[in-house]
Each structure stands twice: as C-alpha cells, then as structure tokens.
Amino acid sequence: GLGSLISCMIPWFEGAPLPVSNLAVKIFDSEISKVQPARVEGLPIEFLSTKTYDCFNVVLSNNSGTEWKGKVIAQLPESKFKSCSDLLTGQKLNSKYRKDHTAEVYVTVPAYEVRVISWIKN
C-alpha cells in the first residue's frame, strides 16, 4: 500500500549456473514474504495465488516423487472467506481463520500432482 517493488535477478547475483546469493535468500525469506498474499510452510513446492472479489486460490504443484505435506497460509483481510476446499478433488478442508487476518490449512499433495486450494466468501 505504500509503493511497489520491482526486482530482477541481476542485483541478487543470480545467474544461470549460480544459486541466489545468501543475502537475497534472507531478504526473500524475511522481508518479501511479509507482504506475499500467500505463504507455504513445508517447502520445497511451487505455488502461486490468485484473488477475485469472492474467492482466493492457491495452486500447489508438487514436482517431486515424494508426497508433500505442509501448511498454506493466506492473507485474507475479510473474515468472510471461510469456506475452503480443494477445487480438483471437491474435498472440504479445515481452514482456520486467525486474528492476524490470515487463514491456514494443512494440505497433502501426492507426488507429481497439483492441488488448487480455494477460499470462497460465505
């Protein structure tokens, strides 16, 4: 709400054969993650989030040969986003809304599978 951040990987000393610098990793983990619309605990897993007026979705992609278990934490400033389900399986999920305006849900993603977690306004 106070500005924008535009980043490219060159300032982070990242190149095709090189990993991201330790400083960049610390900044990503400690500062940038504070303003992300969604966070995942239990990495590594790829994820992205989308939001419309009446729903908030997090897509999880498990590119590993091992089942992934972890927690998805979504920034949901409105407590009306209470109904949570997996859009691909239709399974209702037990999401907990917290006082800090986030919702959290524990998710399992089988090896080489995708899950779409969706919070819908009630």
Side-chain angles (χ1 to χ4, degrees):
L2 299 176
S4 61
L5 169 70
I6 300 172
S7 176
C8 67
M9 296 313 289
I10 300 302
W12 309 112
F13 308 107
E14 191 269 345
L18 303 173
V20 176
S21 73
N22 289 337
L23 173 62
V25 170
K26 282 192 170 207
I27 291 171
F28 291 148
D29 286 346
S30 66
E31 299 305 316
I32 295 174
S33 65
K34 292 176 187 175
V35 295
Q36 289 182 164
R39 297 188 321 269
V40 174
E41 293 179 3
L43 297 174
I45 193 166
E46 290 187 32
F47 72 97
L48 63 90
S49 63
T50 63
K51 183 178 179 184
T52 65
Y53 171 75
D54 58 352
C55 71
F56 183 85
N57 301 315
V58 177
V59 180
L60 302 161
S61 176
N62 184 0
N63 299 321
S64 168
T66 307
E67 178 180 76
W68 180 87
K69 291 183 180 183
K71 179 168 49 171
V72 176
I73 302 165
Q75 299 286 340
L76 298 175
E78 298 179 51
S79 62
K80 296 175 186 173
F81 286 96
K82 290 192 177 176
S83 176
C84 182
S85 63
D86 180 334
L87 292 182
L88 297 180
T89 66
Q91 177 186 9
K92 295 272 186 205
L93 301 174
N94 187 20
S95 173
K96 305 253 191 249
Y97 190 77
R98 304 185 316 191
K99 291 180 183 179
D100 65 353
H101 303 289
T102 61
E104 65 180 32
V105 64
Y106 288 90
V107 180
T108 300
V109 183
Y112 304 114
E113 296 245 354
V114 173
R115 290 292 180 260
V116 180
I117 310 307
S118 183
W119 283 269
I120 299 173
K121 278 189 180 179
N122 291 352

